[in-house]
Amino acid sequence: MAPQLPFINLLAQPGGRRRQDLGSFEYSYQAEITNVYPLTKAEKLYQLQLIDPEERRRFSFLPGQFVMLELPGIGEAPFSISSSPLHHGDLELCIRDVGNLTHFLSRMQRGARVGISGPFGTHFPVENMVGQDVLLIGGGLGIVPLRAPLFAVLENRSRYGRLDVMYGAKSPADLLFTYQYDSWRQFDVNLAITVDRPNRGWRGATGLITELLKERIAKADFQPATSFAIVCGPPVMFRFVCALLTEAGLPMQKMFVSLERRMHCGRGKCCRCNIGATYICLDGPVFDYWTVMNLKEAI
Amino acid sequence: MAAPLSYLGVGLDRPRVGVFEFTSCEGCQLQLVNNEATLLDFLNLIELVNFREAMSERSDDYDIALVEGSISRADEVARLKEIRTNARLLVALGSCACFGGVNQLKNRFGDLDWVKKKVYGDFPIASQEVRPLADFVAVDLMIYGCPPKKEEIEKVVTNLVVGKKVAMPKYPVCMECKANENICLFTLGEPCLGPITRAGCDAWCPNHRRGCWGCRGPAEAANVRELEAIMARHGFSREAMLDRLECFGGFSSQVAALRGQPRRPRKARSSKRS
Amino acid sequence: MIFATFSKKELPRLFDLLAPNTVVGPVQKGLDRAGRPLYDFDVIYRFQDLRLDYPTTIHSAKRHFLPHRESLCTFTLQGNDWEKQVDYNVYKPVVFFGLHACDINALNKLDKVLSSPPYPNPYYTAKRRNMFIIGQGCQPQPQCFCRSMGTDTALHGFDLFLTDLGDRYFAEILSATAYQFLQKIITRPPTAKDHDRYKEVVTERNQQFQTTVDTTDLTKLLDLEFESAAWQQWGDKCLSCGTCANVCPTCYCYGVEETVDLDLRGAAKTKYLYSCNLIDFAEVAGGHNFRPQTATRLKYRYYHKHRGFVEAYEESLCVGCGRCGEACLAGITVPDVLASVRALGG
Amino acid sequence: MKRSRTIQLNHLPRVEGHGNIHIRVQQGKVVEARWEVVETPRFFEAMLIGKLWENAPYLCGRICGICSIGHTLASIRAVENAFGIVPSEQTTTLRLLLKHMETLQSHILHLYFLAAPDFLGVGSLLALTQSHPTEVQRALRLKLLANDACDLIGGRRLHPTRTVVGGFTMLPEKAQLEHLAQRLAAAQEDLAAAADLFGGFTIPHFARETEFVSLKGDHDYPFIGGELISSDGVIKKEDEYQAMTNEYCAEGFTAKLSRLSRDSYAVGALARLNNNFGHLHPAARTVAKRLGLAPVNHNPFMANLAQLVECVHVVHDSLSLIKKLLRRKRQAPRVALKPRKGYGVGAVEVPRGILYHAYEFDQEGRIVKADCVIPTSQNHANIQHDLQALARQWAAQGQADADIELLAQMLVRAYDPCISCSVH
Ligand SMILES: Cc1cc2nc3c(=O)[nH]c(=O)nc-3n(C[C@H](O)[C@H](O)[C@H](O)COP(=O)(O)OP(=O)(O)OC[C@H]3O[C@@H](n4cnc5c(N)ncnc54)[C@H](O)[C@@H]3O)c2cc1C
Ligand code: SF4
Ligand code: SF4
Ligand code: SF4
């Protein structure tokens, strides 16, 4: 009898859940939707809890990282974790109903189960910002990924300098997390909000977020040498914002942005989100502005 | 009554479906019953309330209208408008409904009386220029193909039931043909419209060594100019290319451009559901 | 490396020894319009069907390690609950009989992305680990430019590599398994004459390459010529059809599709290979397309292969097999494109 | 009880295409019984003019969604006859096999989906999935087999891809044919059960002397090409088909009508069986006898049973065709061709009856003139006459409206009309 080649069964090999393990590729945690809060017409805040207590405890992430959320047969998509890293496997995702997955999700009730994998990607290096002023600038849904670094700074508020949150939305009805603004201010956050289209009752600023930023830069206490900025929002917005900050003297490597691409695997294999050799899902989504400047077609 | 439907704990409505046909060969609706292996599961997913070809019962209360065929007579226009009023979602099923299909080939003569005379002599017959559904009513969704793939119809219906958006491929047939590792028909010496035709059929014809005739209409970046060059390079006549391009009506604007005719303005009122 | 030679008559015996496994190799698929034979890789049951004299194949052997469609997992559902089943879709080892150096190098390149941390792709890796590869020296074709890409010889990534010395084969043995298989046929250690003949054959072959690509400073050139008019010229021809990616041995981009079973009791997640030339490749949620023009997409393919990959792995992702140029109906070939970017830009 | 009443049924369900039934009874006498065809015409015969020859089979297959294979084959035959192409034996065998599988598919569809619900008193097959699940499964199994076979040989069950002038673009593999033979052999059990089911139905009592037209079989039960014959004794050559069909237009019909020796004639399974009973496979003849079907039968409702007998015939004949294919050496899939000026006719027996395609070509193979005569259009006049006779018979018997309406529908359905095809 001729010899048969040995078969190496990778599936049979013990698969842990560490990054290097082959078994981790398609592994997803099961999580339960514990609460759903409608924030605006299109966005809802989902509180999720990993079902396995051990997994919930071990799950850890850094501000700016994202997870892939999966609904069997419906789809899988990346979402920034919007809660504090201290809460481990009790996650908050703020999700806008734009398509298949997000729409089906919006019809699900508490108690339903979703798949979560990750966390993936790079993060905003809040640990390097200790002792410095921090500017968080968000446009539209961009406020969602900003919440994680915001919480991270607030947990250690005394270790940071001045903390600015600038947030722009289309209209007052589109503002997210309005219920939290007061509590942020209590932690010495300079919150500035602007809308494009004010309604009758609106008493805050109107216009582009760049106007808020110009005002801030004009102030005497703006010190580019000891500041960091995190900018999230649509590409047009952070292009202008970053240009303004650069002009004001903030070094490019001290500005961080989060890029968005359509991701199919989230694991640097499907080649859908990469720009040349740079994978948004592995090397990003968080980049410093210098890197983005060097990426063709990044924004 | 069948058990209520649900998916991942979300309750789903079983859509009431009506199937209708206009000027056509009725092949598209036949495809609905041509999926023997899955027919019963398919029928469980929907409530069929109107399907003249297969059932006696009729009702005007339906959510989804699957409409086959092109429009070529005044009474058809009226009936189509009625269907539009009744249906929440109107689906154009097949090339005739989407583009006019083979039926629109008679339009190319311009003179309709000549066409009628050619077939019926002096016998009076009512018939007008063949048009696709979207020329008269808003069409929510198009299922392309002559014939459409039953798998595609099933996928579309499943997606509608669970509330998933239906996205048809935007790339051309070549993509699927190459994925199936076929030998290119141009290599074999046959013309093919695969490079510019919308995929989704899984390269049905090239899989059988038959050139594509473009029944699914243009792909989203259809490079007709280059196709012309390719046809010429391989020694195929312009006539053979135009025969294929004009066969199903999907490329009507491209054909008009190639023939140097002004593109006739369309009354198109296609709507996208939000 | 360990070498051996054996008579050509021994090859069928080696085949038969390996035949209890699935064997994939070059076969004739038909004739083209001029009556010339066409080849592709397929599963082989009889030695006679193996066409080791094949010049090249239309498609690479990719289907057997990166299938165009592949199930990633399935789900079974009940109420709120669901369960996921993962399968890597490989159940036995596969023998690849007669891969040319370019195709072996393609696998080596793919390994760098797909089998490397973080998140090695287990579907590919499981297949790759279960491959037994017998490489074979090739006959350079007019479209081949592997020599320019440095992939005309394979240094690793195979079990056994055969060079045709006329009446016998010169074998490079790279794995213990291959060594053990060769024990079962009649081989002998190569003599000095064999070495000389081997060198002669290789030199002869190297003189037959007709196409070259100037890769000097290519990555920088591409950066400089990002706005070159050449891209638009080729873009005007490109059909956005993805044929080039489909026949390419190293194109691995994919998409994922999730489907619900007709009975609503199950679901599946399927991977399908995609191509950066397809119009919606760079579309994101909300409908924005980062590369709506054909020219920018075509350019992107070159940037990923010849610039991005080089940046990451110090080598190009293209092995110079020339398949994409042969398959492209619009006649767009890598040597032409790169030459025109160099010329037009300068 | 004598009174006046009108039965008006628009867009008759469970038939292919759009037709209306209109019956008016006054004082127990039928004053009007009309079969109307309101289907929108498509003008294929005009469409083809000026097109190159290769368009003909491609377009003409699309005349009909049910018998697209038959149309394609008739069209191919017409082109081949015009160009003087003789297909290989392998091609003719495969074509006949393909034809058989279409016949099986179409007959099963008609018998179970369209006709059976009437006999079982329901509105559609949907209801039968509850009441007769085994029969439905059987029907689906048979239909799947036939459809799979059409996919295998023709490339596609609807609008075939592999069938071309000169032969086929691709051939089925040996193993695939062997597998098909196994499935066909196994299907005989399902067909026997179908014969039991349909044999148990009460076939309405009605007969009207009719002329039957079909192909004339020489040695075999005929399906593709050959002479034409009528039960009234007319025999013509294939290219003299116009002498058989005598098409004319009439009020109330968007389809053309036909006549031969009488006011109307019938084509279809019953006509084929009446004219060629002796050529049926013995197994099919046995089933026919069991079902009480012998030539010449003048009850149009018996067409249902004739279809069943044909199903048995085609399954048996397919088995011997496959044997023949497996025995012979493989030939090239198709023969080369050169267009030339000429005229050609293709006559093919499709499920609903005899079908003719005829084209005239110029030097380059461009179509100058095209004519297609569809089985259902040949049947329309006969349906009309049957309907009148039937209405008279039942009105005289004082049947209730609902019964007459149902019987009238069943009569039309028994012809398995393909109305859209008839109005091509
Ligand atoms: C790193 C990262 C973090 C993110 N964080 C968040 C977050 O915190 N919150 C949030 O709400 N979103 C976030 N997003 C965006 C989010 O991933 C997308 O909104 C999500 O993928 C949408 O998935 P879906 O299935 O609902 O939409 P899809 O069904 O994929 O469709 C979304 C839109 O794209 C269009 N589309 C889809 N498929 C096609 C196609 N084939 N052709 C053409 N158009 C198509 C649809 O028309 C629709 O408008 C993030 C994205 C990234 C990359
Ligand atoms: S056969 Fe047609 S679809 Fe297939 S690759 Fe060639 S041109 Fe494209
Ligand atoms: S290959 Fe072309 S003609 Fe054939 S089914 Fe696909 S789109 Fe239609
Ligand atoms: S380069 Fe050629 S093969 Fe590739 S997408 Fe463009 S036309 Fe198709």
Side-chain angles (χ1 to χ4, degrees):
Chain A
M1 218 9 243
Q4 193 124 16
L5 287 165
F7 176 55
I8 305 160
N9 189 353
L10 293 187
L11 257 182
Q13 291 175 358
R17 274 144 222 171
R18 281 170 299 117
R19 270 161 73 97
Q20 268 72 7
D21 283 334
L22 287 162
S24 72
F25 193 83
E26 226 357 283
Y27 186 81
S28 46
Y29 306 103
Q30 281 213 357
E32 186 177 310
I33 301 182
T34 48
N35 266 312
V36 185
Y37 302 105
L39 296 182
T40 68
K41 245 201 234 147
E43 286 102 7
K44 285 183 182 173
L45 186 72
Y46 297 84
Q47 289 181 335
L48 306 172
Q49 186 171 64
L50 302 197
I51 287 170
D52 184 299
E54 180 57 21
E55 287 180 348
R56 194 188 320 149
R57 198 177 53 75
R58 278 208 312 215
F59 187 94
S60 68
F61 68 95
L62 296 162
Q65 285 195 301
F66 65 93
V67 289
M68 296 291 281
L69 183 145
E70 173 171 48
L71 297 179
I74 307 294
E76 187 175 23
F79 297 99
S80 308
I81 308 173
S82 193
S83 45
S84 164
L86 291 185
H87 294 168
H88 291 268
D90 282 290
L91 304 170
E92 283 185 354
L93 305 180
C94 171
I95 296 176
R96 178 182 286 177
D97 175 357
V98 295
N100 283 336
L101 174 86
T102 50
H103 184 63
F104 197 91
L105 188 68
S106 77
R107 294 157 70 193
M108 290 173 90
Q109 313 283 329
R110 33 192 300 190
R113 292 187 173 195
V114 303
I116 292 284
S117 50
F120 296 111
T122 52
H123 66 287
F124 301 114
V126 279
E127 65 280 4
N128 299 345
M129 301 179 191
V130 169
Q132 305 238 338
D133 293 348
V134 178
L135 280 134
L136 302 177
I137 307 172
L141 211 52
I143 190 75
V144 173
L146 284 185
R147 267 200 344 149
L150 174 65
F151 287 136
V153 171
L154 293 186
E155 308 277 4
N156 282 298
R157 184 66 191 91
S158 56
R159 300 178 62 199
Y160 296 86
R162 193 187 146 105
L163 176 57
D164 278 282
V165 174
M166 292 174 207
Y167 173 31
K170 282 212 184 82
S171 76
D174 293 314
L175 286 170
L176 296 168
F177 309 112
T178 43
Y179 61 95
Q180 284 193 325
Y181 298 162
D182 287 339
S183 70
W184 294 349
R185 285 195 179 102
Q186 276 168 18
F187 279 97
D188 195 15
V189 173
N190 300 298
L191 181 62
I193 295 178
T194 180
V195 296
D196 296 347
R197 289 193 308 269
N199 58 8
R200 206 159 312 136
W202 180 249
R203 275 192 264 126
T206 310
L208 295 175
I209 198 157
T210 40
E211 295 307 315
L212 291 184
L213 183 61
K214 276 183 198 154
E215 268 172 45
R216 173 76 193 90
I217 290 170
K219 292 216 180 101
D221 61 349
F222 177 70
Q223 275 161 359
T226 54
S227 294
F228 273 92
I230 298 178
V231 189
C232 287
V236 268
M237 171 239 165
F238 67 66
R239 212 156 39 217
F240 282 109
V241 167
C242 291
L244 262 181
L245 287 169
T246 313
E247 207 177 295
L250 188 66
M252 283 183 178
Q253 65 275 27
K254 291 181 81 183
M255 276 176 242
F256 294 89
V257 302
S258 183
L259 297 186
E260 197 192 312
R261 282 291 186 282
R262 182 169 291 258
M263 289 176 189
H264 283 246
C265 75
R267 294 151 176 87
K269 297 293 178 247
C270 74
C271 220
R272 297 302 293 272
C273 69
N274 59 332
I275 302 167
T278 308
Y279 284 82
I280 307 297
C281 62
L282 295 182
D283 310 308
V286 173
F287 293 95
D288 66 28
Y289 189 53
W290 166 246
T291 311
V292 173
M293 287 274 292
N294 279 286
L295 281 178
K296 308 254 185 224
E297 297 184 6
I299 46 179
Chain B
M1 193 59 248
L5 300 175
S6 87
Y7 191 75
L8 288 174
V10 174
L12 307 172
D13 294 327
R14 186 177 267 115
R16 294 168 62 81
V17 176
V19 183
F20 306 92
E21 67 286 307
F22 292 99
T23 309
S24 66
C25 77
E26 299 202 4
C28 297
Q29 36 178 302
L30 201 72
Q31 283 292 78
L32 294 175
V33 292
N34 252 346
N35 44 358
E36 297 85 5
T38 50
L39 185 62
L40 300 180
D41 279 336
F42 180 75
L43 291 175
N44 178 49
L45 216 49
I46 57 175
E47 193 185 331
L48 207 48
V49 299
N50 205 330
F51 187 3
R52 191 197 48 74
E53 191 175 302
M55 61 196 269
S56 298
E57 298 84 352
R58 288 175 201 184
S59 159
D60 286 334
D61 176 17
Y62 40 83
D63 308 308
I64 301 175
L66 297 177
V67 185
E68 172 196 305
S70 49
I71 302 299
S72 75
R73 215 166 53 195
D75 60 315
E76 291 189 324
V77 179
R79 201 156 56 90
L80 175 63
K81 289 193 168 148
E82 196 186 310
I83 293 169
R84 176 70 271 187
T85 321
N86 293 338
R88 191 170 51 80
L89 195 84
L90 190 146
V91 183
L93 180 61
S95 299
C96 294
C98 296
F99 315 120
V102 288
N103 311 327
Q104 53 78 45
L105 277 173
K106 77 165 193 201
N107 294 356
R108 79 185 196 280
F109 296 110
D111 181 357
L112 263 189
D113 285 333
W114 178 86
V115 173
K116 287 185 197 170
K117 237 191 169 84
K118 208 77 209 161
V119 178
Y120 288 93
D122 290 328
F123 187 76
I125 204 94
S127 180
Q128 57 199 40
E129 204 187 28
V130 170
R131 311 297 319 159
L133 303 186
D135 278 12
F136 303 99
V137 295
V139 170
D140 301 302
L141 196 71
M142 298 210 187
I143 301 183
Y144 305 103
C146 180
K149 285 222 105 165
K150 63 184 174 114
E151 291 84 354
E152 202 167 6
I153 301 173
E154 285 172 356
K155 195 156 114 185
V156 166
V157 170
T158 314
N159 280 4
L160 288 174
V161 171
V162 298
K164 259 171 93 172
K165 201 177 137 88
V166 185
M168 296 293 170
K170 296 177 176 175
Y171 48 79
V173 175
C174 285
M175 179 69 192
E176 292 171 341
C177 183
K178 278 281 171 288
N180 291 339
E181 305 212 335
N182 295 326
I183 300 173
C184 180
L185 282 150
F186 283 101
T187 309
L188 294 171
E190 301 268 340
C192 180
L193 290 196
I196 58 164
T197 301
R198 185 188 293 273
C201 63
D202 195 29
W204 222 350
C205 300
N207 288 349
H208 299 287
R209 299 214 166 155
R210 185 75 182 264
C212 167
W213 282 59
C215 76
R216 299 171 62 88
E220 230 121 288
N223 190 343
V224 180
R225 189 119 66 81
E226 186 58 27
L227 181 83
E228 239 189 309
I230 293 167
M231 288 279 187
R233 261 203 306 283
H234 287 82
F236 302 120
S237 69
R238 205 178 143 79
E239 185 177 2
M241 179 179 78
L242 283 167
D243 273 353
R244 285 163 173 74
L245 277 174
E246 72 183 2
C247 189
F248 294 99
F251 292 91
S252 55
S253 58
Q254 286 88 343
V255 170
L258 283 168
R259 288 235 160 92
Q261 290 161 356
R263 173 150 142 56
R264 74 190 294 287
R266 279 249 171 135
K267 282 185 279 172
R269 270 193 291 142
S270 165
S271 88
K272 294 275 166 290
R273 245 190 354 136
S274 54
Chain C
M1 197 177 300
I2 296 177
F3 302 102
T5 59
F6 59 86
S7 152
K8 277 198 167 168
K9 282 194 290 242
E10 288 298 302
L11 198 63
R13 284 193 54 207
L14 183 62
F15 181 92
D16 289 343
L17 285 169
L18 289 162
N21 306 286
T22 303
V23 182
V24 169
V27 291
Q28 190 183 324
K29 281 279 166 172
L31 301 173
D32 73 1
R33 54 194 304 178
R36 283 176 304 243
L38 299 161
Y39 301 90
D40 250 331
F41 291 103
D42 211 338
V43 178
I44 288 177
Y45 301 97
R46 299 174 315 167
F47 182 75
Q48 307 89 279
D49 296 336
L50 193 64
R51 293 295 302 271
L52 289 177
D53 58 342
Y54 77 109
T56 180
T57 53
I58 306 170
H59 302 84
S60 74
K62 190 155 74 175
R63 168 161 61 109
H64 302 279
F65 45 84
L66 270 184
H68 293 282
R69 274 189 92 79
E70 178 171 32
S71 164
L72 292 178
C73 66
T74 51
F75 299 90
T76 40
L77 312 155
Q78 202 172 32
N80 267 343
D81 280 340
W82 50 266
E83 216 178 282
K84 185 169 180 172
Q85 294 92 27
V86 177
D87 187 344
Y88 298 153
N89 316 308
V90 52
Y91 313 103
K92 45 187 204 161
V94 180
V95 176
F96 286 76
F97 215 113
L99 290 192
H100 288 161
C102 56
D103 286 342
I104 293 170
N105 281 312
L107 281 164
N108 291 340
K109 287 178 196 284
L110 284 177
D111 289 349
K112 294 205 166 145
V113 224
L114 297 181
S115 291
S116 64
Y119 317 113
N121 175 335
Y123 303 88
Y124 170 81
T125 309
K127 292 183 191 62
R128 183 73 171 110
R129 295 229 186 129
N130 285 296
M131 274 177 161
F132 182 86
I133 296 178
I134 302 179
Q136 192 213 186
C138 63
Q139 277 303 308
Q141 301 300 308
Q143 71 272 22
C144 300
F145 57 97
C146 53
R147 223 167 137 68
S148 303
M149 306 315 295
T151 49
D152 54 328
T153 51
L155 299 175
H156 63 100
F158 54 84
D159 294 86
L160 186 67
F161 198 96
L162 306 179
T163 304
D164 189 338
L165 300 186
D167 58 340
R168 60 198 189 280
Y169 285 110
F170 183 84
E172 299 164 53
I173 308 161
L174 215 60
S175 75
T177 320
Y179 186 83
Q180 281 146 24
F181 269 102
L182 286 186
Q183 300 285 295
K184 296 177 198 293
I185 63 169
I186 303 165
T187 63
R188 58 176 174 76
T191 60
K193 238 178 81 191
D194 291 326
H195 286 185
D196 290 343
R197 180 71 193 127
Y198 171 78
K199 283 184 279 183
E200 246 172 63
V201 166
V202 170
T203 317
E204 253 167 51
R205 184 196 73 136
N206 287 350
Q207 281 159 358
Q208 286 165 21
F209 285 102
Q210 300 168 28
T211 306
T212 52
V213 171
D214 182 0
T215 57
T216 327
D217 231 5
L218 187 57
T219 36
K220 272 187 213 160
L221 179 89
L222 286 173
D223 251 3
L224 287 173
E225 299 308 339
F226 195 72
E227 306 296 341
S228 166
W231 298 119
Q232 193 56 50
Q233 283 177 18
W234 294 110
D236 286 346
K237 291 173 75 62
C238 177
L239 298 155
S240 300
C241 69
T243 288
C244 45
N246 270 325
V247 301
C248 174
T250 62
C251 273
Y252 61 89
C253 305
Y254 70 86
V256 173
E257 182 186 45
E258 307 234 8
T259 46
V260 177
D261 291 357
L262 208 52
D263 62 6
L264 305 185
R265 274 187 236 130
K269 189 168 163 188
T270 313
K271 161 190 167 182
Y272 54 92
L273 292 189
Y274 220 60
S275 159
C276 53
N277 287 80
L278 305 183
I279 180 153
D280 55 358
F281 182 82
E283 219 165 60
V284 293
H288 178 69
N289 190 344
F290 279 88
R291 288 176 221 117
Q293 287 95 22
T294 310
T296 47
R297 290 192 299 274
L298 178 115
K299 175 166 71 180
Y300 181 82
R301 183 159 185 267
Y302 285 82
Y303 272 73
H304 184 211
K305 295 247 176 218
H306 301 276
R307 184 185 174 281
F309 202 83
V310 184
E311 210 179 298
Y313 302 106
E314 312 288 339
E315 58 181 88
S316 159
L317 184 58
C318 172
V319 293
C321 70
R323 287 190 182 97
C324 64
E326 287 295 287
C328 177
L329 285 167
I332 304 172
T333 72
V334 176
D336 287 353
V337 171
L338 292 180
S340 74
V341 170
R342 201 175 278 279
L344 271 182
Chain D
M1 191 188 71
K2 296 192 169 164
R3 56 191 173 85
S4 304
R5 59 215 175 172
T6 304
I7 295 170
Q8 176 71 36
L9 194 89
N10 286 343
H11 295 186
L12 178 67
R14 279 186 284 123
V15 297
E16 211 270 10
H18 298 92
N20 304 339
I21 293 175
H22 177 83
I23 299 175
R24 202 144 55 86
V25 184
Q26 236 162 35
Q27 307 299 318
K29 274 222 161 65
V30 177
V31 287
E32 211 180 352
R34 262 191 294 129
W35 166 237
E36 290 176 337
V37 169
V38 293
E39 182 81 16
T40 37
R42 283 168 294 157
F43 301 93
F44 272 88
E45 287 135 328
M47 248 182 243
L48 288 166
I49 294 176
K51 287 272 170 201
L52 287 170
W53 58 273
E54 55 169 353
N55 286 265
Y58 195 81
L59 288 177
C60 287
R62 283 160 172 84
I63 287 178
C64 183
I66 300 189
C67 46
S68 58
I69 292 173
H71 276 279
T72 308
L73 292 178
S75 181
I76 287 175
R77 185 171 166 83
V79 180
E80 287 177 350
N81 283 344
F83 293 170
I85 297 165
V86 184
S88 70
E89 192 194 346
Q90 170 183 281
T91 295
T92 47
T93 313
L94 272 171
R95 281 180 182 164
L96 185 57
L97 181 57
L98 178 59
K99 184 81 256 321
H100 280 351
M101 292 298 101
E102 179 185 67
T103 305
L104 180 62
Q105 194 282 134
S106 173
H107 282 358
I108 293 294
L109 176 79
H110 177 249
L111 286 168
Y112 280 92
F113 285 55
L114 310 184
D118 286 333
F119 291 103
L120 295 166
V122 294
S124 75
L125 182 85
L126 235 51
L128 296 183
T129 56
Q130 305 297 324
S131 60
H132 294 70
T134 9
E135 270 72 26
V136 172
Q137 289 294 350
R138 200 188 314 286
L140 291 179
R141 208 154 46 222
L142 285 167
K143 201 161 118 49
L144 180 66
L145 159 67
N147 268 334
D148 284 352
C150 292
D151 285 354
L152 174 65
I153 301 154
R156 185 155 73 180
R157 55 195 61 181
L158 174 56
H159 302 332
T161 50
R162 291 186 176 190
T163 42
V164 286
V165 177
F168 287 86
T169 57
M170 260 176 130
L171 302 176
E173 300 295 328
K174 191 167 161 269
Q176 292 174 313
L177 285 173
E178 281 162 356
H179 180 62
L180 175 60
Q182 280 166 13
R183 285 180 69 185
L184 281 167
Q188 293 177 6
E189 200 179 309
D190 280 340
L191 278 178
D196 288 344
L197 177 71
F198 283 82
F201 292 161
T202 321
I203 306 295
H205 236 21
F206 173 76
R208 188 180 69 83
E209 204 171 293
T210 304
E211 179 174 19
F212 292 102
V213 173
S214 73
L215 282 173
K216 174 175 171 297
D218 288 334
H219 312 289
D220 300 314
Y221 196 76
F223 281 101
I224 301 180
E227 284 185 331
L228 321 171
I229 185 168
S230 109
S231 54
D232 283 3
V234 185
I235 296 187
K236 296 275 175 221
K237 294 239 163 32
E238 194 170 356
D239 53 11
E240 294 168 346
Y241 75 98
Q242 279 167 324
M244 297 296 270
T245 58
N246 310 301
E247 282 199 314
Y248 64 98
C249 295
E251 186 80 29
F253 290 90
T254 49
K256 292 181 191 167
L257 309 178
S258 285
R259 64 180 151 228
L260 183 56
S261 320
R262 312 169 184 225
D263 282 347
S264 67
Y265 65 84
V267 298
L270 190 59
R272 283 191 291 263
L273 184 132
N274 278 335
N275 290 351
N276 296 287
F277 192 82
H279 294 312
L280 277 172
H281 189 277
R285 272 202 305 257
T286 313
V287 173
K289 288 209 183 93
R290 244 183 64 211
L291 296 172
L293 197 52
V296 173
N297 187 307
H298 287 284
N299 180 354
F301 289 95
M302 289 301 264
N304 290 313
L305 301 184
Q307 288 186 331
L308 196 54
V309 171
E310 286 196 335
C311 288
V312 176
H313 172 84
V314 297
V315 166
H316 276 97
D317 198 42
S318 297
L319 282 166
S320 40
L321 293 175
I322 294 176
K323 243 188 227 142
K324 185 163 140 194
L325 284 166
L326 291 173
R327 217 171 34 232
R328 304 279 162 88
K329 211 174 143 278
R330 261 184 171 233
Q331 292 168 304
R334 54 170 143 170
V335 295
L337 64 97
K338 208 170 144 7
R340 70 177 192 203
K341 193 178 154 87
Y343 175 72
V345 177
V348 166
E349 284 284 358
V350 291
R352 282 151 204 79
I354 190 161
L355 162 71
Y356 309 95
H357 279 239
Y359 314 118
E360 196 183 314
F361 295 98
D362 70 8
Q363 252 97 2
E364 279 100 70
R366 239 175 248 109
I367 299 168
V368 180
K369 201 164 171 253
D371 186 31
C372 312
V373 185
I374 274 72
T376 297
S377 62
Q378 297 168 68
N379 275 335
H380 282 320
N382 212 56
I383 295 176
Q384 160 79 13
H385 284 108
D386 274 356
L387 201 59
Q388 274 168 359
L390 177 131
R392 260 196 301 269
Q393 180 178 324
W394 273 306
Q397 287 170 12
Q399 294 252 20
D401 281 7
D403 290 340
I404 298 189
E405 182 176 327
L406 177 67
L407 283 165
Q409 289 194 39
M410 284 171 70
L411 171 78
V412 176
R413 253 174 232 133
Y415 280 89
D416 191 8
C418 184
I419 301 170
S420 42
C421 184
S422 71
V423 184
H424 47 287

